Amino acid sequence: MKTILFLFGGCSTEYEVSLQSAHAVLQALDHSRYTPLAVGITREGRWLRYGGPLFHLETGDWEAQPDCVPCALSLDRGDLRLLWLDGSGRSEPFDAAFPVLHGKNGEDGTVQGLLELIGAPIIGCGALSSALCMDKDRSHKLAALAGVRVPRGHLFRRGDDAGEIARAAEALGYPLFVKPVRSGSSFGVSRVAAPEHLAAAAEEAFRHDREILLEEAVPGFEVSCAILGSTALTVGAVAEFQVEGGFIDYGEKYADGGTLRIYCPARIPPEKATEIQETAKRIYRCLDCRVFARVDLFLTPWGELVFNEVNTIPGCTPHSCYPGMMQAIGLDFQTLVSRLVELGVEA
């Protein structure tokens, strides 16, 4: 029986989302085949080996439980062990690692780099693809080289002239979007309808990253593709996102009472769904993704596909979009979790 190291929490604005995903994945894990080794990372960055009841992940008070032990990974390559830092000298071996982390300091290649350094098989994308997919500007550049249309945009760094930002916005035309280059769950993203709101939107985006992207507002709606695999790829049913105002922010994604509506399968012709799936696979491969990821695109009123982003660790609850797209092709959540672990361990 293999032991799987699960990482959850993290120094990210998506900390709570990670707890919900980890709770669901740990519940769905096939315990007849795999032994979980759960490690939570607090908002402050402390690593704690957690052996308590799973419901404390849902309630968010897991780190206050007596079952927490300070811990760290052995950094000797090939020595896959979790070291207890309580003075006992105890350690626990593991066979592979599943980072159930979202956003910065978890989904952006940082944790994946650590795991690659020690030679741990990763259930998910590696360091390079994780970093690229988190970076909206550089992932767009690579997708464009692969022949996929991307939104028109301009990159700016902290300290750049405000006049240049204003002129770039005028050239793109309003409305437009201002985004941190590296951020998840739409944190720091603003839809700007007029020039007088641009400065505040840029300031908000710079709160989340040192680089920001001004991007054209692509007409139409967002579609999404769940992809599973490393060599042979399984693609879920295409999902369609509809929201009032056309902007899916953090509240629309996770808060009750939002206007976001998800249709899976998407309300589009079968041939268009096939085109979306093939385009998503091209993006997945060109960004070096493996095991699983969710590819999001825009579908314009005239049927053109425009790349938006890739989520390398999408939400992993039974009600999240990625499992829903896989459910639509017959992969239930428990089976999906088993396939994810199998793919990561095999790689």
Side-chain angles (χ1 to χ4, degrees), residues 213-246:
L213 190 64
L214 268 60
E215 193 172 275
E216 69 169 319
V218 178
F221 56 87
E222 197 168 346
V223 291
S224 188
C225 236
I227 301 182
L228 174 70
S230 299
T231 305
L233 302 183
T234 299
V235 185
V238 176
E240 170 191 352
F241 299 155
Q242 290 280 5
V243 65
E244 289 181 12

Side-chain angles (χ1 to χ4, degrees), residues 69-341:
V69 178
C71 64
L73 299 180
S74 167
L75 296 183
D76 291 343
R77 185 166 181 82
D79 183 28
L80 305 185
R81 287 185 302 130
L82 184 74
L83 310 177
W84 290 39
L85 303 182
D86 60 349
S88 66
R90 183 177 174 183
S91 66
E92 295 175 279
F94 62 91
D95 299 286
F98 194 159
V100 192
L101 301 162
H102 303 301
K104 286 186 177 181
N105 304 304
E107 194 176 356
D108 57 359
T110 49
V111 167
Q112 289 77 9
L114 173 63
L115 295 171
E116 288 183 4
L117 180 71
I118 65 174
I122 302 170
I123 298 164
C125 290
L128 175 63
S129 55
S130 298
L132 284 173
C133 292
M134 180 62 70
D135 191 308
K136 297 176 179 66
D137 178 64
R138 290 156 184 87
S139 61
H140 281 191
K141 285 181 168 67
L142 285 171
L145 289 173
V148 179
R149 199 203 139 181
V150 299
R152 293 180 300 121
H154 294 278
L155 179 73
F156 292 96
R157 294 175 175 84
R158 190 176 284 119
D160 281 350
D161 181 65
E164 289 185 17
I165 296 176
R167 285 188 290 274
E170 288 294 336
L172 285 174
Y174 291 93
L176 54 81
F177 285 92
V178 180
K179 305 178 176 183
V181 168
R182 292 164 289 269
S183 180
S185 285
S186 300
F187 280 105
V189 178
S190 301
R191 184 180 187 275
V192 180
E196 57 266 28
H197 305 301
L198 180 64
E203 182 180 355
E204 173 61 19
F206 275 129
R207 286 183 56 244
H208 294 267
D209 194 33
R210 60 183 173 81
E211 295 181 317
I212 66 171
L213 190 64
L214 268 60
E215 193 172 275
E216 69 169 319
V218 178
F221 56 87
E222 197 168 346
V223 291
S224 188
C225 236
I227 301 182
L228 174 70
S230 299
T231 305
L233 302 183
T234 299
V235 185
V238 176
E240 170 191 352
F241 299 155
Q242 290 280 5
V243 65
E244 289 181 12
F247 173 35
I248 307 172
D249 62 9
Y250 181 84
E252 291 291 352
K253 288 177 179 176
Y254 301 113
D256 293 332
T259 62
L260 174 63
R261 298 292 178 266
I262 300 175
Y263 299 93
C264 186
R267 301 170 299 173
I268 55 177
E271 59 272 16
K272 182 56 67 175
T274 299
E275 181 186 351
I276 291 167
Q277 291 170 325
E278 291 303 314
T279 302
K281 287 195 289 186
R282 193 188 320 168
I283 294 167
Y284 187 92
R285 292 193 190 283
C286 88
L287 293 175
D288 195 35
C289 297
R290 60 181 295 281
V291 182
F292 75 119
R294 195 189 80 220
V295 181
D296 298 340
L297 305 105
F298 299 109
L299 178 59
T300 70
W302 45 90
E304 189 175 16
L305 295 177
V306 183
F307 175 46
N308 182 21
E309 65 180 354
V310 176
N311 289 271
T312 53
I313 309 179
C316 292
T317 74
H319 308 295
S320 299
C321 190
Y322 182 95
M325 288 186 276
M326 287 300 178
Q327 175 74 51
I329 62 167
L331 275 179
D332 64 82
F333 189 62
Q334 190 165 15
T335 303
L336 174 61
V337 169
S338 290
R339 287 291 296 127
L340 294 176
V341 176

